[in-house]
Amino acid sequence: LFFGVFGIVIALMKDVPDAAGDRTFNIRSFSVRVGQKRVFGMMKNLLTALFGGVGVALLQLSAMSPTSIATIRRATVGLGC
């Protein structure tokens, strides 16, 4: 799931700088149809939610850990996202 969403973000973000060329050659890419700023904002929010979800998952995983060292390590990684 993580890599699927991450791949979508990468694919759509790579198209943002090419919107002017796409518009010139009449290529109706997602960035041309929706707008560069809007695509950039949507992908930034999606990436933030993705990494936030990973952080929450790691924090929940750390609560189930039997050892305190592993709990501290996983919580630190989760908060770092």
Side-chain angles (χ1 to χ4, degrees):
L1 181 67
F2 175 84
F3 290 109
V5 174
F6 194 69
I8 290 170
V9 170
I10 290 172
L12 292 175
M13 287 299 290
K14 285 185 71 165
D15 196 38
V16 169
D18 298 332
D22 290 349
R23 199 173 293 114
T24 301
F25 293 105
N26 203 21
I27 299 171
R28 303 223 354 111
S29 64
F30 190 69
S31 293
V32 170
R33 285 185 268 150
V34 176
Q36 287 175 292
K37 287 184 180 182
R38 192 167 177 200
V39 169
F40 183 79
M42 288 188 312
M43 294 305 107
K44 183 180 74 168
N45 291 339
L46 184 59
L47 200 56
T48 300
L50 182 66
F51 280 111
V54 169
V56 168
L58 286 174
L59 284 173
Q60 287 181 347
L61 185 64
S62 69
M64 297 186 306
S65 177
T67 62
S68 61
I69 295 173
T71 301
I72 293 170
R73 185 181 325 136
R74 288 181 180 149
T76 304
V77 170
L79 292 175
C81 290

